[in-house]
Amino acid sequence: MFENEPATTAILMVAAGLLLIFSVLFSRPSERIGIPVVLVFLLIGLLVGSRLPDHFVDFDLAFRIGTVGLVLILFDGGLNTPFRQIRQYLAPASVLATVTVIGTALIVALIARLLGLGWTEAFLLGAIVSSTDAAAVFSSLRGSGVQLRRRVGATLELESGLNDPVAVILTLTLTAQLVSGGPFNLAALAGDILLQLAIGLAVGYAVGWLGSHLLDRIRVPAAGLYPVLTLALALLAFGLPTLFMGSGFLAVYIAALMLGNQRLPYRSGILRVHDAMAWLAQITMFLILGLLAVPEMLASAGWKGLVLALGLALVARPVMVMLSLWPFGYKAKESGFVAWVGLRGAVPILLATFPVLAGVEGAIELFHLVFFVVVVNALIPGATIRWAVQWFQVEQAGRQRPSPVLEVNAIDSLPVQIISFRLDPAAMVTGNPAGALPLPAGADILLLVRGKEALPVRPETVLQADDHVHIMVRPEDKRAVELLFGLREED
Amino acid sequence: MFENEPATTAILMVAAGLLLIFSVLFSRPSERIGIPVVLVFLLIGLLVGSRLPDHFVDFDLAFRIGTVGLVLILFDGGLNTPFRQIRQYLAPASVLATVTVIGTALIVALIARLLGLGWTEAFLLGAIVSSTDAAAVFSSLRGSGVQLRRRVGATLELESGLNDPVAVILTLTLTAQLVSGGPFNLAALAGDILLQLAIGLAVGYAVGWLGSHLLDRIRVPAAGLYPVLTLALALLAFGLPTLFMGSGFLAVYIAALMLGNQRLPYRSGILRVHDAMAWLAQITMFLILGLLAVPEMLASAGWKGLVLALGLALVARPVMVMLSLWPFGYKAKESGFVAWVGLRGAVPILLATFPVLAGVEGAIELFHLVFFVVVVNALIPGATIRWAVQWFQVEQAGRQRPSPVLEVNAIDSLPVQIISFRLDPAAMVTGNPAGALPLPAGADILLLVRGKEALPVRPETVLQADDHVHIMVRPEDKRAVELLFGLREED
């Protein structure tokens, strides 16, 4: 022990450091050619893993790290979901998260059965690959620089936050079934799913409610302790319902939704820390899942994997999405786009470790089959996403929100907000001197950024197209100012 | 395995979540009564640990987590050290980090020998408790609301970043000595220390240099990836020199110093993430170290521990600090204050796990002795720090820098800075209308916060005492604006 100790820890840290650096370095080029960033991490893990001795294959550790990672990712997703703005899409997203997930699992199971798998293994496979990954969808979209029509974007975002818990419940229950070998009871399964979702929802709501009151009341000696507190809330939101047969992942997402839509102290700090932790979790999960896979076994998953992957992408998901969204009045092209970009991410591979841990026969083959399905279902939609946006005509009309050049945060809460605009040539104020604008009382242009220069604003300063203007305004006057200045920059 | 799995992970997460929440909740009350926050975490760990079954006592895991934690803490410390402003204190701080550490270790060893320990155990104990903890000092100071004279504050800050590596080297070398049982060679020890420091310095410099070029060049698809990159740099900065017989902890601090004093993209995000990670590391380290201790063994460390603790605080450190700072022209009261607030933190307890891992005889007793010494040497200076500031007259003359109410960050780099002032009644501008101020060209008052109100600034707006004003200014005009407005708020 002693002979090796500082060296072993040092080797682990160097390895982790190098893997992280390579992953970040390759994230940009991968995005340019339309491959989801996360696949790069998976590939690096696979390449490194195939050169490691066997004892690094630790499915137990992978499951534990993957669980924590998924908690961090879902929590970050919930924090950043502007629930108030998209709650009208909750109904279709919930149907996608339940009906579509279960239906997709059934159709994939049918295909797997036709390929020669036993019924329960087939159902297990279907359950494992049944949920989509928002991070993959949105990182692909961000790279392509387009903005989706709100209905489509919001539906995809809510869906992928809500459907992971259902896939997890399906997989765990089916695995337990396989291990116990008892008779298959569909009614019991359905009841179980509903119960777990209900408990998860209740506990998530409770943790979110308590957490936002706690954050509102508590004063900590250093701002860096706030993110520690929100991290603790995320761990509790997962752990508590899991202990009481509820869905921990649903609870995490719900708790984060509530916290993120509340006034948080040190908000931008909390969001940034969770953003970084979610990225770290993404990279770590995909690296580790890549480490677990054996290239030879992936190759032998070959044509079966390909048939399953294409069956999922071209049959199972499209059929179920069209059926699920049809009652909500989505246009065919909108449903088509939602169906097409059902990218799979880390969740299926994480779920595929579970049968391995449970000692299900053939679980290692299943793991590699799932790996194959996930990679194909990230590559195809990922590489075609720009084309799909045009083909299905789901791009947001009008210009994209420009990004701001300054960020202004009030540390105490002030009764004004500072909002920023990038002036459109057609905006009402463009071409006019600042002193001549009919600004509401209490509103004021603080600062103007033109090209690489920041200019003071005097009454005689003429506003030009493409200027970034930062305006202080009372919340009640925001609408009036938006009418004058046009499209706001991203917050 | 399968029967337990989701539950085991869930229990661990609930436990971690609750411990973190309690630690954060108690951090504020503890600060008010002058107990360093970190001791609260230690105490919680101790209370919980004494109720756990034996197999939770895992010194190996504690060492590994402690190492990563210390890396995160030192990296954060380096990032936040304004090196350019305090580099004139590098010489005295370096002498404190080497001469004072070694001398303190020797004097403590002498006391321990008098108390009946063997020579090598005595030296080991001295080495383990020889370094101070900046985080403890500064969190105590922040709670008391005073600002130290710059020379004193900067010396303490640099000292505590630089002295941990020396204590680590001393401890590891002495432990190796104890295990191998060879003859004790002082010259070889000194040479070894210098070599390790030199390698650590070189590798830290190299990682810092490469890292800042990398951060400057690379464009990542999501800002959340920048902190992942800096985290990777921290891991590399520790791991690489450690593999080549260098001081990893020194390298981490040096690399962070270089990065923090560079223009970083997404700077405030990176700093916040590392700040939160350092707090998380602090809490985790102290909790775990508390878990390792056994209350009965602490009690039996009793009077020996007390004599050692007081010997360290009242003899060893004061003597060595006075000697070390004397050539640099520090006043007696300044040296006295530096000597008095030599708070001990997590490093000694982490170092005390090392002999346990190495299987040194009596290492468990040593661990508890160290635990005792650390607690006393955190409690006494921590509780008396306000009194010490007055007694030694080291408070910064003049008013304390007020804290700002708005935070403005440029996302791209702009050729102007935004600085803020809280107006003193005696400031030149107070009582004058904004339009009458002789501001340099290109400078402009953006915003004025008066009480709870943010006001637009018109030429006729009269500036009043206690107004917060935010001013845009070119870097070259900063001095002129400071002459007009007085004391700047904290950045």
Side-chain angles (χ1 to χ4, degrees):
Chain A
M1 174 63 228
F2 170 65
E3 289 301 319
N4 302 328
E5 192 29 78
T8 315
T9 304
I11 290 175
L12 286 176
M13 287 170 80
V14 169
L18 287 178
L19 284 174
L20 290 178
I21 285 185
F22 282 127
S23 302
V24 175
L25 285 181
F26 284 108
S27 62
R28 180 82 174 181
S30 87
E31 194 172 64
R32 258 193 245 116
I33 52 175
I35 300 175
V37 187
V38 290
L39 277 192
V40 178
F41 313 148
L42 196 66
L43 198 71
I44 292 178
L46 187 62
L47 288 176
V48 174
S50 60
R51 274 150 193 78
L52 287 181
D54 257 9
H55 62 267
F56 272 87
V57 178
D58 185 342
F59 277 85
D60 191 8
L61 185 67
F63 174 78
R64 206 165 271 185
I65 293 180
T67 302
V68 176
L70 187 54
V71 166
L72 293 176
I73 292 169
L74 283 173
F75 194 78
D76 181 55
L79 280 183
N80 287 292
T81 302
F83 185 63
R84 278 177 232 282
Q85 290 162 42
I86 63 177
R87 63 183 151 195
Q88 68 257 48
Y89 308 111
L90 190 57
S94 300
V95 173
L96 284 176
T98 48
V99 176
T100 303
V101 163
I102 295 172
T104 305
L106 290 177
I107 298 179
V108 171
L110 206 65
I111 302 176
R113 181 75 185 102
L114 292 177
L115 290 173
L117 278 77
W119 268 120
T120 343
E121 289 84 351
F123 277 123
L124 193 52
L125 179 73
I128 288 173
V129 300
S130 60
S131 76
T132 59
D133 183 338
V137 175
F138 288 97
S139 92
S140 293
L141 278 176
R142 216 175 296 125
S144 63
V146 295
Q147 205 180 9
L148 289 184
R149 214 176 292 166
R150 173 180 279 191
R151 172 149 82 167
V152 175
T155 307
L156 277 170
E157 194 168 348
L158 272 178
E159 176 202 14
S160 67
L162 293 170
N163 68 8
D164 291 334
V166 180
V168 172
I169 298 171
L170 273 182
T171 306
L172 296 195
T173 316
L174 283 169
T175 306
Q177 185 84 34
L178 269 179
V179 171
S180 72
F184 191 78
N185 184 336
L186 198 67
L189 180 65
D192 199 31
I193 292 179
L194 286 179
L195 183 68
Q196 293 195 39
L197 290 178
I199 295 177
L201 190 70
V203 178
Y205 188 87
V207 172
W209 189 85
L210 285 173
S212 47
H213 279 261
L214 189 64
L215 281 163
D216 208 36
R217 298 279 154 77
I218 196 178
R219 289 290 163 271
V220 295
L225 287 171
Y226 281 120
V228 174
L229 201 58
T230 47
L231 173 65
L233 289 173
L235 297 179
L236 282 182
F238 173 80
L240 286 177
T242 304
L243 288 179
F244 298 103
M245 311 298 291
S247 167
F249 292 113
L250 181 63
V252 165
Y253 186 69
I254 298 294
L257 264 186
M258 290 188 61
L259 289 170
N261 286 277
Q262 218 79 16
R263 268 171 60 146
L264 291 177
Y266 192 59
R267 182 186 185 86
S268 71
I270 291 176
L271 292 184
R272 282 169 172 181
V273 171
H274 279 285
D275 185 39
M277 286 202 288
W279 272 106
L280 189 62
Q282 287 263 22
I283 296 179
T284 311
M285 273 175 92
F286 278 93
L287 280 175
I288 289 186
L289 296 173
L291 286 175
L292 290 181
V294 182
E296 293 75 33
M297 295 197 65
L298 279 180
S300 80
W303 69 271
K304 268 193 204 174
L306 199 61
V307 172
L308 282 166
L310 294 178
L312 171 61
L314 303 177
V315 182
R317 178 153 174 97
V319 168
M320 289 313 303
V321 169
M322 297 308 243
L323 280 177
S324 302
L325 290 184
W326 173 72
F328 296 100
Y330 281 63
K331 297 190 195 124
K333 293 213 158 180
E334 290 174 335
S335 305
F337 182 77
V338 171
W340 183 250
V341 296
L343 273 78
R344 311 288 134 161
V347 176
I349 314 190
L350 170 65
L351 288 178
T353 63
F354 206 72
V356 177
L357 290 182
V360 170
E361 212 180 318
I364 295 275
E365 287 75 31
L366 206 61
F367 176 82
H368 287 86
L369 217 47
V370 169
F371 195 104
F372 204 97
V373 173
V374 167
V375 171
V376 173
N377 272 282
L379 273 182
I380 297 184
T384 58
I385 200 159
R386 276 168 247 209
W387 165 87
V389 168
Q390 284 167 13
W391 174 264
F392 291 107
Q393 299 168 354
V394 288
E395 192 163 3
Q396 178 76 277
R399 291 177 64 189
Q400 205 194 334
R401 278 191 164 203
S403 24
V405 291
L406 275 187
E407 182 199 71
V408 183
N409 298 310
I411 288 175
D412 275 347
S413 48
L414 284 176
V416 293
Q417 283 191 307
I418 290 154
I419 58 181
S420 58
F421 298 89
R422 178 161 191 158
L423 295 188
D424 199 89
M428 282 184 61
V429 296
T430 307
N432 291 309
L437 303 178
L439 285 176
D444 193 33
I445 303 185
L446 300 181
L447 176 65
L448 187 157
V449 179
R450 181 173 294 165
K452 289 263 152 216
E453 283 228 90
L455 306 174
V457 180
R458 319 251 181 247
E460 65 276 13
T461 309
V462 175
L463 303 182
Q464 303 180 359
D466 286 331
D467 284 353
H468 295 267
V469 291
H470 294 262
I471 301 178
M472 172 175 87
V473 60
R474 295 201 206 103
E476 60 268 29
D477 296 329
K478 232 160 46 174
R479 277 243 152 270
V481 172
E482 284 172 358
L483 285 176
L484 285 172
F485 287 85
L487 189 63
R488 274 177 64 189
E489 297 184 330
E490 282 170 29
D491 289 321
Chain B
M1 174 63 227
F2 170 66
E3 289 300 319
N4 302 328
E5 192 30 79
T8 314
T9 304
I11 289 175
L12 286 176
M13 287 170 81
V14 169
L18 287 178
L19 284 174
L20 290 178
I21 286 185
F22 282 127
S23 302
V24 174
L25 285 182
F26 283 108
S27 62
R28 180 82 174 181
S30 87
E31 194 173 63
R32 258 194 245 116
I33 52 175
I35 299 175
V37 186
V38 289
L39 278 192
V40 178
F41 312 148
L42 197 65
L43 198 72
I44 293 178
L46 188 63
L47 288 176
V48 173
S50 60
R51 273 149 193 78
L52 287 181
D54 257 9
H55 62 267
F56 271 87
V57 179
D58 185 342
F59 277 85
D60 192 7
L61 185 66
F63 175 77
R64 207 165 270 185
I65 293 180
T67 302
V68 177
L70 187 53
V71 166
L72 293 176
I73 292 169
L74 283 173
F75 194 78
D76 182 55
L79 280 183
N80 287 293
T81 303
F83 185 63
R84 279 177 233 282
Q85 290 161 41
I86 63 176
R87 64 182 150 196
Q88 69 257 47
Y89 309 111
L90 190 58
S94 300
V95 173
L96 285 176
T98 49
V99 176
T100 303
V101 164
I102 295 173
T104 305
L106 289 176
I107 298 178
V108 171
L110 206 65
I111 302 175
R113 182 75 185 99
L114 292 177
L115 290 174
L117 278 77
W119 268 120
T120 343
E121 289 84 353
F123 278 123
L124 193 52
L125 179 72
I128 288 174
V129 300
S130 59
S131 76
T132 60
D133 183 337
V137 176
F138 288 98
S139 94
S140 293
L141 277 177
R142 216 175 296 125
S144 63
V146 295
Q147 203 180 10
L148 289 184
R149 215 176 291 166
R150 173 180 280 191
R151 174 149 80 167
V152 174
T155 307
L156 277 170
E157 194 168 349
L158 272 177
E159 177 202 14
S160 67
L162 293 170
N163 68 8
D164 291 335
V166 180
V168 172
I169 298 172
L170 273 181
T171 306
L172 296 195
T173 316
L174 283 169
T175 307
Q177 185 84 35
L178 269 179
V179 170
S180 73
F184 191 78
N185 184 336
L186 198 68
L189 180 64
D192 199 31
I193 292 178
L194 286 179
L195 183 69
Q196 292 195 40
L197 290 179
I199 295 177
L201 190 69
V203 178
Y205 188 87
V207 172
W209 190 85
L210 285 173
S212 47
H213 279 262
L214 189 65
L215 281 164
D216 208 37
R217 299 279 154 76
I218 197 179
R219 288 291 163 272
V220 296
L225 286 171
Y226 282 119
V228 174
L229 202 57
T230 48
L231 173 65
L233 289 172
L235 297 179
L236 282 182
F238 173 80
L240 285 178
T242 304
L243 288 180
F244 298 104
M245 313 296 292
S247 167
F249 291 114
L250 181 63
V252 165
Y253 186 69
I254 299 293
L257 264 186
M258 290 188 60
L259 289 170
N261 286 278
Q262 218 79 18
R263 269 168 62 145
L264 291 178
Y266 192 59
R267 182 185 185 87
S268 71
I270 291 176
L271 292 184
R272 281 168 173 183
V273 171
H274 279 284
D275 185 39
M277 285 202 290
W279 273 107
L280 189 63
Q282 287 263 21
I283 296 178
T284 311
M285 273 175 91
F286 279 93
L287 280 175
I288 288 186
L289 296 172
L291 286 176
L292 290 181
V294 182
E296 293 76 34
M297 296 197 65
L298 278 181
S300 79
W303 69 271
K304 268 193 203 174
L306 198 61
V307 172
L308 282 167
L310 294 178
L312 171 61
L314 303 178
V315 182
R317 179 155 173 96
V319 168
M320 289 313 303
V321 169
M322 296 308 241
L323 280 177
S324 302
L325 289 184
W326 173 71
F328 296 100
Y330 281 63
K331 296 189 195 125
K333 293 213 158 179
E334 291 174 335
S335 305
F337 182 78
V338 171
W340 184 249
V341 296
L343 273 78
R344 311 288 133 161
V347 175
I349 313 189
L350 170 65
L351 288 178
T353 63
F354 206 73
V356 177
L357 290 182
V360 170
E361 212 180 318
I364 295 274
E365 286 75 31
L366 207 61
F367 176 82
H368 286 86
L369 218 46
V370 169
F371 195 104
F372 204 96
V373 173
V374 167
V375 171
V376 173
N377 273 282
L379 273 182
I380 297 184
T384 59
I385 200 159
R386 276 168 246 210
W387 165 87
V389 168
Q390 284 168 12
W391 174 264
F392 292 107
Q393 299 168 354
V394 289
E395 192 162 3
Q396 178 77 275
R399 292 177 64 190
Q400 205 194 334
R401 278 189 164 206
S403 25
V405 291
L406 275 186
E407 182 199 71
V408 183
N409 299 309
I411 288 174
D412 275 347
S413 47
L414 283 177
V416 293
Q417 283 191 305
I418 290 156
I419 59 182
S420 58
F421 297 88
R422 178 162 190 156
L423 295 188
D424 199 89
M428 283 184 61
V429 297
T430 307
N432 291 309
L437 303 178
L439 285 176
D444 194 33
I445 303 184
L446 300 181
L447 176 64
L448 188 155
V449 179
R450 182 173 292 164
K452 290 262 152 217
E453 282 228 272
L455 306 174
V457 180
R458 319 251 181 247
E460 64 277 12
T461 309
V462 174
L463 302 183
Q464 303 180 359
D466 287 331
D467 283 354
H468 295 268
V469 291
H470 294 262
I471 301 178
M472 171 175 87
V473 59
R474 294 201 206 104
E476 61 268 29
D477 297 329
K478 231 160 46 175
R479 277 243 152 270
V481 172
E482 284 172 358
L483 284 176
L484 285 172
F485 287 85
L487 189 64
R488 275 176 63 188
E489 297 185 329
E490 281 169 31
D491 290 321

